[in-house]
Amino acid sequence: MNDDDLRWMERCLELAALARGRTAPNPMVGSVLVRDGELLAEGFHERAGLAHAEVDALRKLAGRAEGATLYVNLEPCCHHGRTPPCTDAIHRSGVRRVVIGMIDPNPLVSGKGVAMLESAGVEVVIGVRELECRELNRAYIASMAERSALNAPRE
């Protein structure tokens, strides 16, 4: 982690906050693509059912971001829901490094997105501005904890 990582993650948080109140049950997520210190594209998850932040940013580059670093405040998803997995789009794009603010507490993702990226040869950095990332999505984190508690085996 370096000063650039901190600065670009701050921008992810600003972008994510643009969707405040419109993403439930999904989290607020912003994403920035950078190469050689230059901003290439940025995006955010505008509302549930629309493209996730990573895909929103990648689309602005026609899905190609060879050698770039992708910043995102929440671990990229790796499962099919209303949208396809972000990890697939990231891998196809040629991104070489992904900087993540926090691991997604959703059990469908939680560490699996990171593992998929790493197994594809993408460098991953985790925990940049993690406290701010967690604060931004505290309602999402609480809903994931509640869902896990409801689905926990009973003794």
Side-chain angles (χ1 to χ4, degrees), residues 1 43 45 47 87 108 112 132 151:
M1 176 172 41
H45 180 56
R47 67 178 169 81
T87 52
L108 294 173
K112 297 176 187 95
E132 294 102 315
N151 293 325

Side-chain angles (χ1 to χ4, degrees), residues 67-139:
T69 296
L70 174 100
Y71 292 88
V72 62
N73 59 292
L74 185 73
E75 177 183 14
C77 70
C78 56
H79 66 285
H80 286 272
R82 287 192 252 181
T83 62
C86 291
T87 52
D88 291 354
I90 293 166
H91 176 62
R92 282 192 311 272
S93 76
V95 163
R96 70 169 173 75
R97 181 173 182 253
V98 177
V99 178
I100 299 168
M102 64 173 278
I103 296 296
D104 191 332
N106 183 336
L108 294 173
V109 182
S110 195
K112 297 176 187 95
V114 168
M116 290 178 87
L117 291 170
E118 289 177 334
S119 70
V122 177
E123 177 188 347
V124 178
V125 175
I126 304 164
V128 176
R129 295 198 179 275
E130 184 172 1
L131 292 177
E132 294 102 315
C133 294
R134 295 181 72 75
E135 178 61 26
L136 177 72
N137 277 307
R138 69 179 181 267

Side-chain angles (χ1 to χ4, degrees), residues 13-67:
L13 291 163
E14 292 168 0
L15 291 164
L18 294 174
R20 191 175 307 279
R22 297 190 316 234
T23 61
N26 295 344
M28 291 177 279
V29 182
S31 184
V32 177
L33 284 157
V34 176
R35 186 172 40 232
D36 299 324
E38 179 184 333
L39 175 66
L40 301 175
E42 56 186 29
F44 69 101
H45 180 56
E46 200 170 324
R47 67 178 169 81
L50 294 183
H52 290 182
E54 305 92 324
V55 171
D56 184 40
L58 284 166
R59 282 183 182 163
K60 294 169 183 166
L61 299 173
R64 304 304 314 159
E66 292 83 1

